[in-house]
């Protein structure tokens, strides 16, 4: 059935599906943003200091995964809870280690790996489709030539 569809209808259908997909994503993101509840930051802090909650602080080290040694030895208490840590320097000069959510860098890296794999699979699929189309066109041309040769 799809083989009998003209190119214009096919492109129109793909365009409509693309627009519909974008519309669904926009509606979904609007609904999820309006229903989000503010997340309470429940970070575990090393050395029982909460100076980062009250005053200004700067990140000495961004959120990064704890090493296997830190997790297994429990040498840094914050690594037990979320397996991620960040080091902060408070305005009073105190250096504090606290647990944090998963590092954004690793999520972004996983996303781009996924995108790269999908791109490679898309290219491979396109090459397979084009080569299959050439083979089928060649067979059709040979069949037509045989039929013309038998008629003459």
């Amino acid at each position: 059935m799809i083989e009998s569809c003209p190119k214009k209808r096919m492109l129109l259908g793909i365009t409509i599906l693309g627009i519909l997909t974008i519309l669904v994503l926009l509606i979904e993101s609007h609904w999820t943003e309006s229903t989000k509840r503010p997340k309470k930051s429940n970070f575990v802090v090393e050395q029982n200091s909460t100076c980062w909650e009250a005053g200004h602080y700067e990140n000495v080290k961004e959120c990064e995964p704890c090493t296997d040694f830190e997790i297994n030895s429990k040498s840094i208490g914050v690594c037990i809870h979320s397996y991620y840590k960040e080091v902060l320097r408070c305005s009073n000069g105190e250096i504090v280690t606290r647990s944090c959510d998963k590092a954004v860098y690793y999520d972004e890296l996983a996303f781009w790996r996924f995108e790269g794999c999908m791109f490679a699979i898309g290219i491979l699929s396109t090459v397979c489709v084009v080569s299959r189309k050439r083979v089928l066109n060649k067979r059709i041309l040979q069949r037509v030539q045989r039929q013309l040769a038998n008629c003459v």
Side-chain angles (χ1 to χ4, degrees), residues 3 16 20 48 50 63 76 93 107 117 120 143:
E3 294 85 13
I16 290 173
L20 185 64
N48 293 329
T50 57
C63 190
I76 297 179
D107 286 341
C117 289
R143 184 178 297 150

Side-chain angles (χ1 to χ4, degrees), residues 111-125:
F111 170 76
W112 285 114
R113 282 183 186 158
F114 172 76
E115 286 294 315
C117 289
M118 292 301 108
F119 182 74
I121 290 171
I123 295 295
L124 182 65
S125 298

Side-chain angles (χ1 to χ4, degrees), residues 55-121:
H56 179 71
Y57 64 90
E58 72 175 87
N59 285 351
V60 176
K61 284 188 180 177
E62 292 292 328
C63 190
E64 61 183 18
C66 299
T67 62
D68 289 334
F69 175 75
E70 291 170 339
I71 294 169
N72 293 332
S73 69
K74 299 179 183 175
S75 61
I76 297 179
V78 296
C79 289
I80 298 168
H81 302 284
S82 69
Y83 303 119
Y84 291 92
K85 65 178 179 180
E86 66 181 343
V87 180
L88 308 173
R89 177 178 289 126
C90 295
S91 57
N92 61 3
E94 185 179 3
I95 294 180
V96 178
T97 305
R98 75 172 180 180
S99 65
C100 56
D101 291 332
K102 192 173 183 181
V104 175
Y105 168 76
Y106 295 102
D107 286 341
E108 187 176 341
L109 185 64
F111 170 76
W112 285 114
R113 282 183 186 158
F114 172 76
E115 286 294 315
C117 289
M118 292 301 108
F119 182 74
I121 290 171

